[in-house]
Structure formats: C-alpha cells, structure tokens
Amino acid sequence: MFWKYFFIIYGIICLFVGLLKPPFIWNMKKFQVMKKMFKGDIGVQIFVLIFGLASLAVGIWVF
C-alpha cells in the first residue's frame, strides 16, 4: 500500500521537475553530470519525464 503512493508521488515530482525545470533542482551537481552524459538539457529533460511517467505507471497499474 505504501509503495503505490510512493511511486505516484515520485512520478508527480519527476514530471514537475521535467516540465518546469526549477533552478534550485536543475542546477544540482547530479543534473550537471547528467547533462554531460545525455549531451544537453533536452536529453535530461526527456529522461526525467519518461522516468516520471514510468513511475506513475508502476504506482497506478502494478500496485
């Protein structure tokens, strides 16, 4: 029961970060490294959005 809500909330947070790109999160060192790995902002943004959608899907359909 806990995992369902965890995945849904985590998915919503990922979508929020992926769509709005808040500077206090987007400028963290982890995202700077990911920008180098994915060769730019768009790659990281797509990754975060897909991760958020997948997390929502797991929270809604699996649990």
Side-chain angles (χ1 to χ4, degrees):
M1 184 70 125
F2 163 77
W3 289 107
K4 177 179 183 173
Y5 298 116
F6 173 77
F7 278 109
I8 290 173
I9 291 171
Y10 188 73
I12 291 170
I13 291 171
C14 286
L15 291 176
F16 170 76
V17 170
L19 290 173
L20 299 180
K21 296 186 342 185
F24 63 92
I25 295 176
W26 205 253
N27 293 330
M28 291 173 59
K29 189 65 177 172
K30 181 191 333 185
F31 281 95
Q32 298 299 323
V33 171
M34 287 174 64
K35 286 178 191 177
K36 290 181 182 178
M37 287 175 46
F38 289 109
K39 296 185 178 30
D41 279 348
I42 301 297
V44 175
Q45 190 173 11
I46 292 170
F47 176 76
V48 171
L49 289 173
I50 291 173
F51 203 79
L53 289 173
S55 179
L56 273 175
V58 167
I60 292 171
W61 287 299
V62 173
F63 293 108

